[in-house]
Amino acid sequence: MFTRPIAPLADAEFAAHEEIVVCYDPDAGLSALIAVHDTSLGPAAGGCRLYPYADAGAALHDVLRLSRAMSLKNALAGLPLGGGKSVIIARPQDKTPQLLRAFAARVTALQGRYWTAEDINIGPADADLLRDNCPYVFGLSAARGGSGDPSAYTAAGCFHGIRACLQYLHGNDDPAGLHVTIQGVGRVGYELARQLVQAGARLTITDVDAQRAAAVAAELGAERVGPADIHRVASDVFAPCAMGATINLHTIAELGAPIICGVANNQIADAAARAALLERGVLYAPDYVVNAGGMLHASTDIFGRRDPAEVDRRIRGIFDTTSEILSAAAQRKVSTEVVADELANARIAAARATRVAGR
Ligand code: NAD
């Protein structure tokens, strides 16, 4: 239930969006927002998050930020997709089939301008239920004929991002013999760890789930440290693969690696942390550049065809995109995120110009 009016129209993110849909269906217990940031490159695509936001303003702030990030991620991945995202304002225990069906109806009403998928508190079973009631759902389980778990593809993209960072810094992209620290060995972190060990890297890992960390360390022959210590470990690459905002002034001051390249979304805590990374000369591969492998794979559900060789080629392309961004940022002495944003926005603007010219 909305408890205060949505944020003012002056909000820059609000104005940058093509369309924001308010979905309210009290009978079904549905309060949701669908944000279509930009469709210049193609239909907006991005997951649906269910979360007990304090109020509609907080939900709007989150959905606007997330949908813009999807525009940037999809553009940088070279996908013919725009950016969108949706949020359902609810507690996980209040998620019902009726609520999800009501949400699916709202997505259907957009007639393919927005495609939805899993996100926080919307799991595979929920995505299946959405798909039963709406054609515009991607990232479905393999059992349902969908693309299945994207984790290995996300990890592969990050692996190529790490190669690009190594190439840039050492003139050699081979991780063999190098030391990588991984924060969080969940679905993607574990896959990344596996791929790095296969390539001959040495690992130090951590996870707040101590049992999981111990099992992964034993399986892969990795060292293990506590969650509070991982960023301090002297290594060649630090890969954040857990939660966002772990790169802050405190962790940067103690950072043991010259490179940060991992899959966690929104790794940099704030503008001060961004400036500190630049000042310390830490090579940071923007998360939304190197974690696009899963999207490259999952989006095959949207296009209705799966060409593993093409997906692999595009995931390998993350090496080139990352390299281009690292070089341009160093030349201009600006953060890698500034360059990544500009590159994405230029691709979106070019697609928009073509579309306008074709009208
Ligand atoms: P996951 O939940 O499977 O794994 C996260 C792991 O991090 C868990 O094992 C958890 O115990 C651990 N963790 C949480 N807080 C921690 C902390 N403070 N220190 C150490 N470990 C901690 O999630 P995932 O699917 O592997 O995704 C990891 C990150 O990558 C998330 O930020 C996610 O948004 C992002 N991401 C994932 C994908 C994907 O394909 N799954 C795609 C793009 C981005």
Side-chain angles (χ1 to χ4, degrees):
M1 182 78 180
F2 296 152
T3 52
R4 72 170 158 94
I6 56 178
L9 283 171
D11 187 310
E13 291 298 344
F14 192 102
H17 275 70
E18 283 182 18
E19 187 172 0
I20 298 163
V21 181
V22 177
C23 314
Y24 185 50
D25 183 342
D27 294 335
L30 177 71
S31 279
L33 295 166
I34 301 173
V36 175
H37 179 258
D38 196 287
T39 59
S40 303
L41 284 163
C48 172
R49 178 169 294 189
L50 183 144
Y51 193 77
Y53 293 99
D55 55 38
L60 179 67
H61 179 76
D62 208 28
V63 79
L64 296 181
R65 187 178 64 85
L66 293 166
S67 56
R68 175 181 173 275
M70 286 310 299
S71 283
L72 299 178
K73 183 193 283 204
N74 291 339
L76 287 166
L79 281 165
L81 291 173
K85 199 89 181 184
S86 50
V87 295
I88 297 175
I89 306 166
R91 299 179 307 173
Q93 62 267 39
D94 295 333
K95 181 174 65 180
T96 61
Q98 192 192 8
L99 181 155
L100 291 174
R101 278 196 293 270
F103 176 71
R106 301 304 182 109
V107 177
T108 303
L110 289 171
Q111 297 182 315
R113 272 173 54 70
Y114 167 66
W115 283 72
T116 197
E118 286 180 33
D119 200 272
I120 293 170
N121 293 322
I122 297 290
D126 303 320
D128 285 351
L129 196 152
L130 290 174
R131 181 65 184 86
D132 287 338
N133 294 277
C134 167
Y136 309 113
V137 183
F138 70 102
L140 291 164
S141 63
R144 289 286 304 253
S147 51
D149 186 354
S151 308
Y153 300 90
T154 304
C158 185
F159 179 85
H160 294 303
I162 289 175
R163 284 182 47 235
C165 292
L166 295 174
Q167 177 69 38
Y168 177 81
L169 210 58
H170 307 303
N172 180 352
D173 69 342
D174 190 355
L178 296 185
H179 182 194
V180 181
T181 39
I182 303 184
Q183 179 179 50
V185 282
R187 284 168 300 184
V188 186
Y190 165 74
E191 271 299 330
L192 178 64
R194 223 179 42 76
Q195 294 175 22
L196 283 164
V197 164
Q198 232 167 34
R202 182 165 69 84
L203 302 183
T204 300
I205 61 155
T206 195
D207 200 291
V208 286
D209 180 341
Q211 260 186 339
R212 186 169 177 88
V216 173
E219 181 190 331
L220 300 177
E223 292 291 316
R224 185 159 65 98
V225 296
D229 296 320
I230 191 75
H231 64 279
R232 292 197 199 106
V233 176
S235 69
D236 296 292
V237 181
F238 175 46
C241 298
M243 309 296 287
T246 62
I247 309 298
N248 53 43
L249 289 182
H250 166 72
T251 53
I252 292 169
E254 299 181 336
L255 203 61
I259 293 170
I260 300 175
C261 181
V263 298
N265 280 314
N266 303 314
Q267 287 164 33
I268 313 298
D270 51 27
R274 208 158 275 130
L277 281 179
L278 198 59
E279 195 184 304
R280 278 199 48 170
V282 176
L283 198 62
Y284 169 64
D287 45 43
Y288 51 91
V289 178
V290 300
N291 72 13
M295 187 66 193
L296 280 162
H297 173 70
S299 60
T300 55
D301 288 350
I302 298 177
F303 308 123
R305 71 190 140 75
R306 229 177 308 290
D307 179 349
E310 173 64 7
V311 170
D312 183 59
R313 191 185 66 75
R314 284 175 176 264
I315 290 176
R316 285 175 185 278
I318 290 175
F319 175 93
D320 300 320
T321 310
T322 308
S323 300
E324 182 183 343
I325 290 166
L326 297 179
S327 299
Q331 254 170 21
R332 293 170 50 194
K333 297 188 171 45
V334 295
S335 87
T336 48
E337 287 176 299
V338 165
V339 174
D341 284 13
E342 285 178 5
L343 184 60
N345 285 324
R347 289 182 183 177
I348 293 167
R352 190 178 301 137
T354 308
R355 208 168 66 167
V356 170
R359 268 182 197 161

